[in-house]
Amino acid sequence: MLAILTTFVIDSVALFVGVSIGRHKLSPKISPKKSWEGAIGGVLGGVIAAIAIDSAFNIQFTSLSAGILGGVLGVFGVLGDLYESWIKRRAGVKNSGTLIPGHGGILDRIDSVIPNVVVVYWAAVWSTL
């Protein structure tokens, strides 16, 4: 739940910040609408969201480790999104499906979640050692 909720916050904050103040393109050849400002906003949103979720659900992480995990999730979320965009560019397609109209396909909904679930899993495993 931590991975999914934090990723949704990261994606939402990145979109809002990128649309609002994004000026510097993150990777124009892969994903022309993504900005550095949006990516940084997403990472900061991830830090805040992970701390809040950790606190609200009494998860085993300390506030510091939850904040660090949120920042790492922000970075991996952006990388997952860029990777999925790169795959679509290489395949020469705009959308990865039509299941969710107007959203670029189902892969656009889970491209950040997939790596973040793996990161949270390993963070949980390593924190219990």
Side-chain angles (χ1 to χ4, degrees):
M1 196 58 114
L2 175 72
I4 293 168
L5 292 176
T6 303
T7 302
F8 289 162
V9 170
I10 290 165
D11 286 347
S12 298
V13 171
L15 175 65
F16 176 75
V17 171
V19 167
S20 299
I21 62 169
R23 301 291 178 265
H24 302 90
K25 300 299 179 191
L26 181 62
S27 184
K29 290 183 180 179
I30 296 175
S31 189
K33 292 184 179 179
K34 288 182 184 43
S35 69
W36 279 103
E37 293 85 355
I40 292 167
V43 170
L44 294 176
V47 170
I48 294 166
I51 291 170
I53 293 165
D54 176 67
S55 177
F57 292 103
N58 198 24
I59 300 174
Q60 66 186 346
F61 299 114
T62 65
S63 292
L64 177 63
S65 62
I68 292 169
L69 179 59
V72 170
L73 292 178
V75 171
F76 274 83
V78 169
L79 292 175
D81 196 1
L82 287 173
Y83 181 65
E84 187 262 347
S85 295
W86 177 75
I87 290 171
K88 288 193 317 185
R89 295 262 181 238
R90 297 241 352 197
V93 296
K94 171 85 172 114
N95 296 325
S96 58
T98 57
L99 184 63
I100 307 172
H103 286 272
I106 194 68
L107 287 179
D108 276 346
R109 298 300 91 200
I110 62 170
D111 56 6
S112 301
V113 173
I114 293 171
N116 283 351
V117 167
V118 174
V119 169
V120 170
Y121 170 79
W122 284 110
V125 167
W126 290 334
S127 71
T128 60
L129 297 178

